[in-house]
């Protein structure tokens, strides 16, 4: 059997728990074999990665920090990292997130292979006027962004929304961007046997962007007519104390906070849910929901969705078919849609079945990874169609 061509994947932090879309692509490739390099481990909890397929520029300590600084500021690749990368003989480098693309440029250039960069969300949407005061890495990215647009052979966006933002706000050449939506494992996320009537599920980071305060208000409005309605919140974040206080005032014991949970527990919660709701909002700095993996996971579990028509969400949820999307900030409409599901189990179940079929036909992980591999082949001149 011939060895598969190798791809070197760069991600600055390997690998935050929220970045399942990166690992789904990286370890889900069939025609290519992926290896990972990054500056350092991501913040815990992290996704477990095969140690024989990754290397860290900064494994810790003062020497590790010096290696990271030299790499990020001056493009100096540590000798052991360079020898490992060169020994792999990769056919291309694929960097995830725009900022990481600028860091991976010297590596791809020295290897003499094409560079592909994926934009995923805030790296494309955040407005420039909000970024100069942010962390050093983002300022370096802005200084190198034009060069990245010229140097990268192709860019990947998970939605048309992200593509449009990468062009408008990051100056990325439109003709270089390919839209390849994320995919999920539809065998792993499947409908459960007994969804619980009235159980409204939220899964997301507890920050303003995710709109939990809107959902708490919407649920409080339907509680007098539907006392069975209860909100379950999975996730953690800096605003947790605020949301817990708000939920206590508005919902009392009808709201439960479970904190951050492993993927197996998230799947169980999806399967028990009657409705999934995450009314993400647009932020003044340009942040918005770029895609929303949790919407796919809920729909794959046969759970209809309620959210706002913001960012890339309308590309993931089919309004009136797999769920309902209200205008941004319209809590009354959000509440009305929740009420519709509780009043009409037949509508809820029909949309749940439609959601499952929607994800199976459009967002299956194997299908989407094949599209990415087609792009790899095209970039490497091995045929295929992007």
């Amino acid at each position: 059997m011939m060895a598969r061509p190798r791809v070197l994947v760069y991600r600055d932090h390997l690998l935050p728990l929220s970045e399942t879309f990166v690992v789904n692509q990286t370890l889900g490739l069939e025609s290519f074999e992926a290896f990972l390099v990054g500056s350092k481990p991501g913040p815990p909890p992290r996704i477990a990665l095969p140690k024989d397929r990754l290397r860290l520029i900064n494994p810790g300590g003062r020497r590790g920090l010096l290696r990271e600084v030299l790499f990020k500021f001056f493009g100096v690749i540590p000798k052991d990292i360079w020898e490992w990368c060169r020994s792999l003989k990769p056919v291309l480098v694929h960097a995830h997130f725009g900022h990481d693309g600028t860091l991976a440029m010297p590596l791809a250039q020295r290897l003499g292979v094409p560079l592909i960069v994926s934009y995923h969300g805030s790296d494309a949407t955040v407005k420039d006027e909000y970024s100069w005061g942010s962390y050093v890495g983002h300022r370096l990215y802005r200084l190198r962004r034009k060069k990245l647009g010229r140097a990268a052979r192709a860019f990947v966006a998970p939605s048309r929304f992200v593509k449009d933002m990468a062009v408008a706000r990051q100056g990325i050449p439109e003709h270089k961007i390919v839209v390849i939506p994320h995919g999920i494992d539809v065998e792993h996320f499947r409908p459960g046997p007994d969804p619980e009537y009235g159980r409204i599920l939220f899964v997301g980071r507890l920050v303003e962007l995710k709109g939990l305060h809107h959902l708490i208000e919407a649920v409080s409005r339907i509680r007098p007519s539907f006392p069975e309605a209860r909100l379950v919140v999975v996730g953690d974040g800096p605003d947790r104390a605020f949301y817990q206080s708000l939920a206590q005032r508005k919902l009392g014991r009808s709201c439960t906070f479970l904190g951050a949970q492993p993927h197996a527990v998230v799947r169980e919660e999806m399967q028990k849910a009657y409705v999934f709701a995450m009314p993400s909002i647009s932020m003044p700095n340009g942040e918005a929901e770029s895609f929303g993996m949790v919407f796919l996971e809920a729909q794959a579990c046969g759970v209809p969705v309620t959210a706002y028509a913001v960012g890339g969400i309308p590309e993931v949820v089919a309004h009136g078919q797999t769920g309902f999307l209200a205008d941004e900030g319209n809590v009354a409409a959000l509440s009305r849609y929740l009420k519709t599901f509780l009043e009409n189990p037949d509508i809820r179940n029909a949309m749940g079945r439609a959601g499952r079929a929607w994800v199976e036909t459009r967002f299956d992980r194997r299908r989407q990874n094949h599209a990415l591999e087609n792009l790899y082949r095209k970039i490497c001149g091995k045929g295929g169609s992007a």
Side-chain angles (χ1 to χ4, degrees):
M1 181 182 294
M2 292 184 61
R4 293 180 292 167
R6 290 173 170 176
V7 174
L8 189 61
V9 175
Y10 183 86
R11 179 68 182 106
D12 194 32
H13 293 177
L14 292 171
L15 191 64
L17 193 62
S18 61
E19 294 182 9
T20 54
F21 50 87
V22 175
V23 78
N24 282 348
Q25 286 186 352
T26 302
L27 301 184
L29 298 174
E30 296 179 0
S31 300
F32 293 78
E33 186 177 16
F35 293 79
L36 300 102
V37 63
S39 69
K40 56 189 174 186
R46 292 184 287 269
I47 295 173
L49 297 169
K51 293 183 179 180
D52 61 327
R53 291 170 66 176
L54 69 87
R55 291 293 187 275
L56 295 173
I57 292 167
N58 177 2
R62 291 183 178 179
R63 183 170 178 269
L65 179 59
L66 177 61
R67 283 158 53 106
E68 181 183 353
V69 169
L70 290 174
F71 173 71
K72 290 184 173 180
F73 281 82
F74 304 105
V76 177
I77 305 169
K79 182 179 179 181
D80 60 313
I81 298 295
W82 166 245
E83 290 179 349
W84 181 74
C85 292
R86 184 177 60 177
S87 72
L88 296 174
K89 298 180 180 179
V91 295
L92 59 83
V93 174
H94 185 171
H96 284 274
F97 293 90
H99 318 88
D100 292 17
T102 61
L103 298 175
M105 281 193 297
L107 186 57
Q109 183 178 12
R110 189 170 176 187
L111 287 167
V113 298
L115 173 64
I116 295 176
V117 180
S118 285
Y119 277 89
H120 289 292
S122 60
D123 54 338
T125 65
V126 170
K127 301 171 184 175
D128 276 353
E129 58 264 32
Y130 286 86
S131 64
W132 275 121
S134 61
Y135 62 98
V136 173
H138 195 89
R139 296 199 292 272
L140 286 174
Y141 161 73
R142 282 196 57 183
L143 292 171
R144 300 165 175 170
R145 185 171 53 191
K146 286 186 178 180
K147 184 178 179 181
L148 178 65
R150 296 190 300 268
R153 190 74 59 83
F155 296 86
V156 179
S159 62
R160 293 186 301 275
F161 169 72
V162 172
K163 176 182 178 179
D164 292 344
M165 290 297 99
V167 173
R169 292 184 178 162
Q170 307 305 319
I172 301 303
E174 184 174 7
H175 70 276
K176 286 189 173 185
I177 306 177
V178 178
V179 176
I180 303 177
H182 298 313
I184 66 167
D185 185 345
V186 296
E187 295 303 316
H188 181 74
F189 287 95
R190 301 186 63 86
D194 295 304
E196 297 180 16
Y197 178 79
R199 191 180 184 93
I200 301 166
L201 178 66
F202 171 100
V203 178
R205 187 161 160 75
L206 302 188
V207 293
E208 186 180 2
L209 171 70
K210 300 298 182 179
L212 180 56
H213 49 302
H214 291 241
L215 181 56
I216 291 171
E217 175 61 29
V219 175
S220 74
R221 294 185 185 187
I222 65 172
R223 283 274 304 158
S225 301
F226 299 93
E228 307 95 334
R230 57 200 178 280
L231 177 60
V232 177
V233 177
V234 176
D236 212 335
D239 295 339
R240 178 170 178 170
F242 166 77
Y243 287 128
Q244 284 183 312
S245 176
L246 179 65
Q248 179 61 37
R249 294 198 310 272
K250 294 281 187 177
L251 301 175
R253 296 184 178 180
S254 297
C255 183
T256 304
F257 284 77
L258 300 181
Q261 295 294 330
H263 296 299
V265 175
V266 172
R267 180 183 62 173
E268 292 173 5
E269 289 299 325
M270 293 281 189
Q271 292 173 333
K272 290 189 292 185
Y274 197 74
V275 180
F276 180 82
M278 190 178 76
S280 294
I281 60 176
S282 302
M283 300 298 291
N285 68 354
E287 279 191 278
E289 200 70 51
S290 60
F291 187 79
M293 293 289 286
V294 288
F295 296 118
L296 294 186
E297 293 165 357
Q299 290 172 109
C301 290
V303 181
V305 170
T306 301
Y308 288 144
V310 168
I313 297 175
E315 299 177 49
V316 179
V317 180
H319 176 64
Q321 300 175 47
T322 70
F324 291 120
L325 299 179
D327 291 338
E328 182 176 3
N330 191 339
V331 176
L334 196 66
S335 180
R336 185 169 64 252
Y337 289 146
L338 292 173
K339 184 178 178 181
T340 297
F341 287 131
L342 294 172
E343 283 182 333
N344 302 278
D346 288 345
I347 292 177
R348 182 266 174 202
N349 294 335
M351 284 194 171
R353 290 190 297 269
R356 172 69 187 178
W358 167 261
V359 174
E360 284 181 321
T361 56
R362 290 172 172 81
F363 301 102
D364 175 71
R365 182 175 68 181
R366 286 194 69 194
R367 174 192 177 108
Q368 301 314 106
N369 283 351
H370 287 167
L372 180 63
E373 290 181 322
N374 257 346
L375 176 63
Y376 287 172
R377 292 188 191 97
K378 181 179 179 181
I379 295 301
C380 295
K382 298 179 182 296
S385 57

